[in-house]
Amino acid sequence: MSDKLRSMQVFVAAATARSFAAAAQALDMSPVMVGKHVQALELELGARLIERTTRRQSLTEIGAVYLERCRDVLAGVEAADRVAEHLRAEPQGSLRVSAPSTYGEQRLMPVIGAYAAKYPQVKLDLVLTNRVIDMAEEGVDVVIRSGSLVDSGLIARPLQPGRVLLGASPDYLKRHGTPRHPSDLEKHNCLVFSDWRPHAGWRFNKNGEQVEVAVRSAFTSNTGASLVSAAIAGMGVAMQADMLMEPALKEGKLVRLLPKWELPSRPMHILRRPEARPSAKVRSFVDFVLERLG
């Protein structure tokens, strides 16, 4: 509470009790301090609020009017505090969430659906983008990011890392053979992202043995989904996120390759702003996601 609001509170107590000593006891402060708060208001207003004699205290005409206004102000402050506390305790209002496109569509959307069913008072706005956004500038409450984190000052909690799988269609493997070792991929058409640096290699690890293969490609794309579709169409070997590969693998449209070799995984984190007491909607959403994807 600000100094002026505190002084108003002390003035109301003193005027109601008609005694500095009684107000001091109720507010757990000294009578001298009660007097200082009242004097501070009188000095600021340039008018006497309470007439003080050795025997009694009484409100001046201005003091009586000011007392009622102070009561209105303090009641409004208490009402505002109750509203804020209610909003903090009960998830409600608008919540803007940002996530990488594929992760948001494949992993996060089912979780968001379950969250919306549990907390219908929260209006969700999902922004899917692969660029690093400024949460404050773009009004985002919670963000999910992949890859290594920079020291942004945000509160980060780890999610399950993004796994990568390798696969090709049965038709492609029938025509070109099945690779038994990562080095065999040098003879295959490997489907890669168009924004990867030129001659970027695919890295593999097994029991401490590390292999990096300089892959070649006759087809590139800027989305993982299109590269998986190309693999299903028999155009080559895809190394993509498990969330994109698993449906095709389960349906037999793709065959998993080199399953005993470990492929690089990408760290995933959910982040919020560094508030000491986050709102209920932010706190509940972060906890909800961590429970299912953490």
Side-chain angles (χ1 to χ4, degrees), residues 253-277:
K253 295 178 180 178
L254 292 178
V255 176
R256 186 176 177 185
L257 304 176
L258 306 176
K260 295 183 179 180
W261 287 83
E262 182 181 344
L263 298 169
S265 61
R266 287 184 66 80
M268 301 293 301
H269 292 86
I270 185 168
L271 302 96
R272 64 170 177 83
R273 297 175 194 175
E275 300 169 305
R277 296 180 64 196

PDB file of all heavy atoms in Angstrom, residues 253-277:
ATOM      1  N   LYS A 253       4.127 -47.347 -44.288  1.00  0.00           N
ATOM      2  CA  LYS A 253       4.486 -46.519 -45.441  1.00  0.00           C
ATOM      3  C   LYS A 253       5.980 -46.227 -45.459  1.00  0.00           C
ATOM      4  O   LYS A 253       6.551 -45.930 -46.507  1.00  0.00           O
ATOM      5  CB  LYS A 253       3.697 -45.213 -45.412  1.00  0.00           C
ATOM      6  CG  LYS A 253       2.195 -45.398 -45.566  1.00  0.00           C
ATOM      7  CD  LYS A 253       1.473 -44.062 -45.483  1.00  0.00           C
ATOM      8  CE  LYS A 253      -0.031 -44.231 -45.630  1.00  0.00           C
ATOM      9  NZ  LYS A 253      -0.744 -42.933 -45.513  1.00  0.00           N
ATOM     10  N   LEU A 254       6.588 -46.281 -44.281  1.00  0.00           N
ATOM     11  CA  LEU A 254       8.029 -46.116 -44.151  1.00  0.00           C
ATOM     12  C   LEU A 254       8.596 -47.262 -43.326  1.00  0.00           C
ATOM     13  O   LEU A 254       7.898 -47.851 -42.497  1.00  0.00           O
ATOM     14  CB  LEU A 254       8.375 -44.790 -43.469  1.00  0.00           C
ATOM     15  CG  LEU A 254       8.072 -43.488 -44.222  1.00  0.00           C
ATOM     16  CD1 LEU A 254       8.439 -42.284 -43.353  1.00  0.00           C
ATOM     17  CD2 LEU A 254       8.814 -43.430 -45.554  1.00  0.00           C
ATOM     18  N   VAL A 255       9.869 -47.543 -43.551  1.00  0.00           N
ATOM     19  CA  VAL A 255      10.599 -48.552 -42.776  1.00  0.00           C
ATOM     20  C   VAL A 255      11.689 -47.821 -41.996  1.00  0.00           C
ATOM     21  O   VAL A 255      12.447 -47.022 -42.568  1.00  0.00           O
ATOM     22  CB  VAL A 255      11.228 -49.616 -43.702  1.00  0.00           C
ATOM     23  CG1 VAL A 255      12.063 -50.600 -42.886  1.00  0.00           C
ATOM     24  CG2 VAL A 255      10.149 -50.333 -44.499  1.00  0.00           C
ATOM     25  N   ARG A 256      11.766 -48.090 -40.705  1.00  0.00           N
ATOM     26  CA  ARG A 256      12.796 -47.438 -39.903  1.00  0.00           C
ATOM     27  C   ARG A 256      14.158 -48.036 -40.224  1.00  0.00           C
ATOM     28  O   ARG A 256      14.315 -49.261 -40.320  1.00  0.00           O
ATOM     29  CB  ARG A 256      12.506 -47.588 -38.406  1.00  0.00           C
ATOM     30  CG  ARG A 256      13.475 -46.801 -37.543  1.00  0.00           C
ATOM     31  CD  ARG A 256      13.124 -46.882 -36.076  1.00  0.00           C
ATOM     32  NE  ARG A 256      14.112 -46.175 -35.264  1.00  0.00           N
ATOM     33  CZ  ARG A 256      14.120 -46.145 -33.936  1.00  0.00           C
ATOM     34  NH1 ARG A 256      13.166 -46.786 -33.263  1.00  0.00           N
ATOM     35  NH2 ARG A 256      15.065 -45.486 -33.273  1.00  0.00           N
ATOM     36  N   LEU A 257      15.145 -47.157 -40.357  1.00  0.00           N
ATOM     37  CA  LEU A 257      16.496 -47.577 -40.714  1.00  0.00           C
ATOM     38  C   LEU A 257      17.460 -47.329 -39.556  1.00  0.00           C
ATOM     39  O   LEU A 257      17.287 -46.389 -38.782  1.00  0.00           O
ATOM     40  CB  LEU A 257      16.975 -46.808 -41.953  1.00  0.00           C
ATOM     41  CG  LEU A 257      16.087 -46.914 -43.204  1.00  0.00           C
ATOM     42  CD1 LEU A 257      16.641 -46.027 -44.312  1.00  0.00           C
ATOM     43  CD2 LEU A 257      15.981 -48.367 -43.670  1.00  0.00           C
ATOM     44  N   LEU A 258      18.481 -48.167 -39.470  1.00  0.00           N
ATOM     45  CA  LEU A 258      19.553 -48.043 -38.481  1.00  0.00           C
ATOM     46  C   LEU A 258      19.008 -47.789 -37.067  1.00  0.00           C
ATOM     47  O   LEU A 258      19.432 -46.840 -36.379  1.00  0.00           O
ATOM     48  CB  LEU A 258      20.513 -46.912 -38.880  1.00  0.00           C
ATOM     49  CG  LEU A 258      21.108 -47.007 -40.296  1.00  0.00           C
ATOM     50  CD1 LEU A 258      21.966 -45.781 -40.598  1.00  0.00           C
ATOM     51  CD2 LEU A 258      21.940 -48.278 -40.438  1.00  0.00           C
ATOM     52  N   PRO A 259      18.092 -48.625 -36.596  1.00  0.00           N
ATOM     53  CA  PRO A 259      17.461 -48.377 -35.283  1.00  0.00           C
ATOM     54  C   PRO A 259      18.419 -48.475 -34.103  1.00  0.00           C
ATOM     55  O   PRO A 259      18.121 -47.937 -33.035  1.00  0.00           O
ATOM     56  CB  PRO A 259      16.378 -49.463 -35.213  1.00  0.00           C
ATOM     57  CG  PRO A 259      16.873 -50.552 -36.104  1.00  0.00           C
ATOM     58  CD  PRO A 259      17.588 -49.859 -37.229  1.00  0.00           C
ATOM     59  N   LYS A 260      19.537 -49.166 -34.265  1.00  0.00           N
ATOM     60  CA  LYS A 260      20.484 -49.313 -33.158  1.00  0.00           C
ATOM     61  C   LYS A 260      21.424 -48.114 -33.032  1.00  0.00           C
ATOM     62  O   LYS A 260      22.197 -48.028 -32.073  1.00  0.00           O
ATOM     63  CB  LYS A 260      21.292 -50.598 -33.325  1.00  0.00           C
ATOM     64  CG  LYS A 260      20.436 -51.868 -33.222  1.00  0.00           C
ATOM     65  CD  LYS A 260      21.285 -53.122 -33.332  1.00  0.00           C
ATOM     66  CE  LYS A 260      20.434 -54.377 -33.214  1.00  0.00           C
ATOM     67  NZ  LYS A 260      21.251 -55.619 -33.316  1.00  0.00           N
ATOM     68  N   TRP A 261      21.354 -47.218 -34.007  1.00  0.00           N
ATOM     69  CA  TRP A 261      22.198 -46.032 -33.967  1.00  0.00           C
ATOM     70  C   TRP A 261      21.414 -44.865 -33.371  1.00  0.00           C
ATOM     71  O   TRP A 261      20.241 -44.657 -33.683  1.00  0.00           O
ATOM     72  CB  TRP A 261      22.689 -45.668 -35.369  1.00  0.00           C
ATOM     73  CG  TRP A 261      23.744 -46.609 -35.887  1.00  0.00           C
ATOM     74  CD1 TRP A 261      23.549 -47.816 -36.491  1.00  0.00           C
ATOM     75  CD2 TRP A 261      25.150 -46.418 -35.814  1.00  0.00           C
ATOM     76  NE1 TRP A 261      24.749 -48.403 -36.806  1.00  0.00           N
ATOM     77  CE2 TRP A 261      25.763 -47.565 -36.406  1.00  0.00           C
ATOM     78  CE3 TRP A 261      25.980 -45.407 -35.320  1.00  0.00           C
ATOM     79  CZ2 TRP A 261      27.136 -47.711 -36.502  1.00  0.00           C
ATOM     80  CZ3 TRP A 261      27.353 -45.546 -35.418  1.00  0.00           C
ATOM     81  CH2 TRP A 261      27.918 -46.691 -36.007  1.00  0.00           C
ATOM     82  N   GLU A 262      22.079 -44.118 -32.514  1.00  0.00           N
ATOM     83  CA  GLU A 262      21.446 -42.966 -31.876  1.00  0.00           C
ATOM     84  C   GLU A 262      21.630 -41.730 -32.742  1.00  0.00           C
ATOM     85  O   GLU A 262      22.739 -41.420 -33.183  1.00  0.00           O
ATOM     86  CB  GLU A 262      22.067 -42.730 -30.492  1.00  0.00           C
ATOM     87  CG  GLU A 262      21.451 -41.577 -29.721  1.00  0.00           C
ATOM     88  CD  GLU A 262      22.115 -41.355 -28.376  1.00  0.00           C
ATOM     89  OE1 GLU A 262      22.831 -42.274 -27.920  1.00  0.00           O
ATOM     90  OE2 GLU A 262      21.934 -40.271 -27.805  1.00  0.00           O
ATOM     91  N   LEU A 263      20.522 -41.031 -32.970  1.00  0.00           N
ATOM     92  CA  LEU A 263      20.546 -39.807 -33.773  1.00  0.00           C
ATOM     93  C   LEU A 263      20.459 -38.593 -32.839  1.00  0.00           C
ATOM     94  O   LEU A 263      19.960 -38.693 -31.712  1.00  0.00           O
ATOM     95  CB  LEU A 263      19.380 -39.800 -34.757  1.00  0.00           C
ATOM     96  CG  LEU A 263      19.403 -40.936 -35.787  1.00  0.00           C
ATOM     97  CD1 LEU A 263      18.086 -41.001 -36.540  1.00  0.00           C
ATOM     98  CD2 LEU A 263      20.549 -40.728 -36.758  1.00  0.00           C
ATOM     99  N   PRO A 264      20.922 -37.437 -33.297  1.00  0.00           N
ATOM    100  CA  PRO A 264      20.888 -36.246 -32.428  1.00  0.00           C
ATOM    101  C   PRO A 264      19.466 -35.910 -32.003  1.00  0.00           C
ATOM    102  O   PRO A 264      18.518 -36.030 -32.788  1.00  0.00           O
ATOM    103  CB  PRO A 264      21.471 -35.140 -33.320  1.00  0.00           C
ATOM    104  CG  PRO A 264      22.243 -35.859 -34.371  1.00  0.00           C
ATOM    105  CD  PRO A 264      21.520 -37.149 -34.609  1.00  0.00           C
ATOM    106  N   SER A 265      19.291 -35.507 -30.752  1.00  0.00           N
ATOM    107  CA  SER A 265      17.995 -35.044 -30.260  1.00  0.00           C
ATOM    108  C   SER A 265      18.086 -33.549 -29.993  1.00  0.00           C
ATOM    109  O   SER A 265      19.171 -33.006 -29.796  1.00  0.00           O
ATOM    110  CB  SER A 265      17.598 -35.784 -28.977  1.00  0.00           C
ATOM    111  OG  SER A 265      18.550 -35.538 -27.956  1.00  0.00           O
ATOM    112  N   ARG A 266      16.938 -32.889 -30.022  1.00  0.00           N
ATOM    113  CA  ARG A 266      16.898 -31.443 -29.791  1.00  0.00           C
ATOM    114  C   ARG A 266      16.262 -31.161 -28.437  1.00  0.00           C
ATOM    115  O   ARG A 266      15.163 -31.642 -28.150  1.00  0.00           O
ATOM    116  CB  ARG A 266      16.098 -30.736 -30.894  1.00  0.00           C
ATOM    117  CG  ARG A 266      16.833 -30.672 -32.208  1.00  0.00           C
ATOM    118  CD  ARG A 266      16.046 -29.883 -33.231  1.00  0.00           C
ATOM    119  NE  ARG A 266      15.916 -28.471 -32.896  1.00  0.00           N
ATOM    120  CZ  ARG A 266      16.864 -27.562 -33.112  1.00  0.00           C
ATOM    121  NH1 ARG A 266      18.024 -27.916 -33.636  1.00  0.00           N
ATOM    122  NH2 ARG A 266      16.664 -26.293 -32.802  1.00  0.00           N
ATOM    123  N   PRO A 267      16.930 -30.367 -27.593  1.00  0.00           N
ATOM    124  CA  PRO A 267      16.314 -29.992 -26.309  1.00  0.00           C
ATOM    125  C   PRO A 267      15.030 -29.204 -26.548  1.00  0.00           C
ATOM    126  O   PRO A 267      14.929 -28.429 -27.500  1.00  0.00           O
ATOM    127  CB  PRO A 267      17.383 -29.114 -25.646  1.00  0.00           C
ATOM    128  CG  PRO A 267      18.654 -29.413 -26.379  1.00  0.00           C
ATOM    129  CD  PRO A 267      18.263 -29.771 -27.767  1.00  0.00           C
ATOM    130  N   MET A 268      14.057 -29.417 -25.685  1.00  0.00           N
ATOM    131  CA  MET A 268      12.801 -28.678 -25.743  1.00  0.00           C
ATOM    132  C   MET A 268      12.542 -28.063 -24.371  1.00  0.00           C
ATOM    133  O   MET A 268      12.764 -28.712 -23.340  1.00  0.00           O
ATOM    134  CB  MET A 268      11.629 -29.585 -26.123  1.00  0.00           C
ATOM    135  CG  MET A 268      11.758 -30.284 -27.462  1.00  0.00           C
ATOM    136  SD  MET A 268      11.695 -29.155 -28.880  1.00  0.00           S
ATOM    137  CE  MET A 268      10.092 -28.397 -28.657  1.00  0.00           C
ATOM    138  N   HIS A 269      12.063 -26.839 -24.345  1.00  0.00           N
ATOM    139  CA  HIS A 269      11.769 -26.152 -23.084  1.00  0.00           C
ATOM    140  C   HIS A 269      10.468 -25.367 -23.204  1.00  0.00           C
ATOM    141  O   HIS A 269      10.115 -24.895 -24.288  1.00  0.00           O
ATOM    142  CB  HIS A 269      12.887 -25.175 -22.702  1.00  0.00           C
ATOM    143  CG  HIS A 269      14.183 -25.835 -22.342  1.00  0.00           C
ATOM    144  ND1 HIS A 269      15.125 -26.186 -23.286  1.00  0.00           N
ATOM    145  CD2 HIS A 269      14.692 -26.209 -21.129  1.00  0.00           C
ATOM    146  CE1 HIS A 269      16.160 -26.751 -22.678  1.00  0.00           C
ATOM    147  NE2 HIS A 269      15.924 -26.772 -21.379  1.00  0.00           N
ATOM    148  N   ILE A 270       9.793 -25.232 -22.074  1.00  0.00           N
ATOM    149  CA  ILE A 270       8.662 -24.326 -21.974  1.00  0.00           C
ATOM    150  C   ILE A 270       9.084 -23.165 -21.097  1.00  0.00           C
ATOM    151  O   ILE A 270       9.690 -23.358 -20.041  1.00  0.00           O
ATOM    152  CB  ILE A 270       7.399 -25.041 -21.423  1.00  0.00           C
ATOM    153  CG1 ILE A 270       6.201 -24.095 -21.442  1.00  0.00           C
ATOM    154  CG2 ILE A 270       7.629 -25.621 -20.030  1.00  0.00           C
ATOM    155  CD1 ILE A 270       4.873 -24.797 -21.204  1.00  0.00           C
ATOM    156  N   LEU A 271       8.812 -21.949 -21.543  1.00  0.00           N
ATOM    157  CA  LEU A 271       9.322 -20.754 -20.875  1.00  0.00           C
ATOM    158  C   LEU A 271       8.187 -19.786 -20.559  1.00  0.00           C
ATOM    159  O   LEU A 271       7.205 -19.682 -21.294  1.00  0.00           O
ATOM    160  CB  LEU A 271      10.360 -20.037 -21.747  1.00  0.00           C
ATOM    161  CG  LEU A 271      11.585 -20.826 -22.185  1.00  0.00           C
ATOM    162  CD1 LEU A 271      11.365 -21.405 -23.582  1.00  0.00           C
ATOM    163  CD2 LEU A 271      12.823 -19.944 -22.203  1.00  0.00           C
ATOM    164  N   ARG A 272       8.363 -19.070 -19.458  1.00  0.00           N
ATOM    165  CA  ARG A 272       7.473 -17.983 -19.084  1.00  0.00           C
ATOM    166  C   ARG A 272       8.313 -16.817 -18.580  1.00  0.00           C
ATOM    167  O   ARG A 272       9.522 -16.954 -18.351  1.00  0.00           O
ATOM    168  CB  ARG A 272       6.474 -18.423 -18.002  1.00  0.00           C
ATOM    169  CG  ARG A 272       7.119 -18.796 -16.663  1.00  0.00           C
ATOM    170  CD  ARG A 272       6.071 -18.983 -15.590  1.00  0.00           C
ATOM    171  NE  ARG A 272       6.633 -19.400 -14.312  1.00  0.00           N
ATOM    172  CZ  ARG A 272       7.150 -18.578 -13.416  1.00  0.00           C
ATOM    173  NH1 ARG A 272       7.205 -17.272 -13.662  1.00  0.00           N
ATOM    174  NH2 ARG A 272       7.628 -19.026 -12.270  1.00  0.00           N
ATOM    175  N   ARG A 273       7.658 -15.686 -18.388  1.00  0.00           N
ATOM    176  CA  ARG A 273       8.376 -14.513 -17.898  1.00  0.00           C
ATOM    177  C   ARG A 273       8.750 -14.689 -16.421  1.00  0.00           C
ATOM    178  O   ARG A 273       8.081 -15.441 -15.702  1.00  0.00           O
ATOM    179  CB  ARG A 273       7.510 -13.262 -18.069  1.00  0.00           C
ATOM    180  CG  ARG A 273       7.194 -12.969 -19.534  1.00  0.00           C
ATOM    181  CD  ARG A 273       6.249 -11.796 -19.669  1.00  0.00           C
ATOM    182  NE  ARG A 273       5.696 -11.712 -21.010  1.00  0.00           N
ATOM    183  CZ  ARG A 273       4.767 -10.846 -21.378  1.00  0.00           C
ATOM    184  NH1 ARG A 273       4.279  -9.994 -20.496  1.00  0.00           N
ATOM    185  NH2 ARG A 273       4.312 -10.839 -22.614  1.00  0.00           N
ATOM    186  N   PRO A 274       9.788 -13.995 -15.960  1.00  0.00           N
ATOM    187  CA  PRO A 274      10.281 -14.207 -14.587  1.00  0.00           C
ATOM    188  C   PRO A 274       9.456 -13.479 -13.534  1.00  0.00           C
ATOM    189  O   PRO A 274       9.948 -12.616 -12.807  1.00  0.00           O
ATOM    190  CB  PRO A 274      11.710 -13.651 -14.659  1.00  0.00           C
ATOM    191  CG  PRO A 274      11.632 -12.585 -15.699  1.00  0.00           C
ATOM    192  CD  PRO A 274      10.647 -13.086 -16.738  1.00  0.00           C
ATOM    193  N   GLU A 275       8.182 -13.826 -13.426  1.00  0.00           N
ATOM    194  CA  GLU A 275       7.316 -13.234 -12.403  1.00  0.00           C
ATOM    195  C   GLU A 275       7.398 -14.071 -11.136  1.00  0.00           C
ATOM    196  O   GLU A 275       7.336 -15.301 -11.199  1.00  0.00           O
ATOM    197  CB  GLU A 275       5.875 -13.179 -12.886  1.00  0.00           C
ATOM    198  CG  GLU A 275       5.680 -12.356 -14.155  1.00  0.00           C
ATOM    199  CD  GLU A 275       4.287 -12.546 -14.747  1.00  0.00           C
ATOM    200  OE1 GLU A 275       3.905 -13.699 -15.000  1.00  0.00           O
ATOM    201  OE2 GLU A 275       3.610 -11.526 -14.954  1.00  0.00           O
ATOM    202  N   ALA A 276       7.479 -13.405 -10.000  1.00  0.00           N
ATOM    203  CA  ALA A 276       7.533 -14.130  -8.729  1.00  0.00           C
ATOM    204  C   ALA A 276       6.231 -14.885  -8.483  1.00  0.00           C
ATOM    205  O   ALA A 276       6.237 -15.998  -7.962  1.00  0.00           O
ATOM    206  CB  ALA A 276       7.807 -13.157  -7.580  1.00  0.00           C
ATOM    207  N   ARG A 277       5.111 -14.271  -8.862  1.00  0.00           N
ATOM    208  CA  ARG A 277       3.809 -14.916  -8.698  1.00  0.00           C
ATOM    209  C   ARG A 277       3.073 -14.889 -10.034  1.00  0.00           C
ATOM    210  O   ARG A 277       2.292 -13.967 -10.304  1.00  0.00           O
ATOM    211  CB  ARG A 277       2.982 -14.201  -7.622  1.00  0.00           C
ATOM    212  CG  ARG A 277       3.591 -14.260  -6.227  1.00  0.00           C
ATOM    213  CD  ARG A 277       2.700 -13.526  -5.239  1.00  0.00           C
ATOM    214  NE  ARG A 277       1.404 -14.180  -5.112  1.00  0.00           N
ATOM    215  CZ  ARG A 277       0.338 -13.594  -4.567  1.00  0.00           C
ATOM    216  NH1 ARG A 277       0.422 -12.341  -4.148  1.00  0.00           N
ATOM    217  NH2 ARG A 277      -0.806 -14.250  -4.463  1.00  0.00           N
TER     218      ARG A 277
END
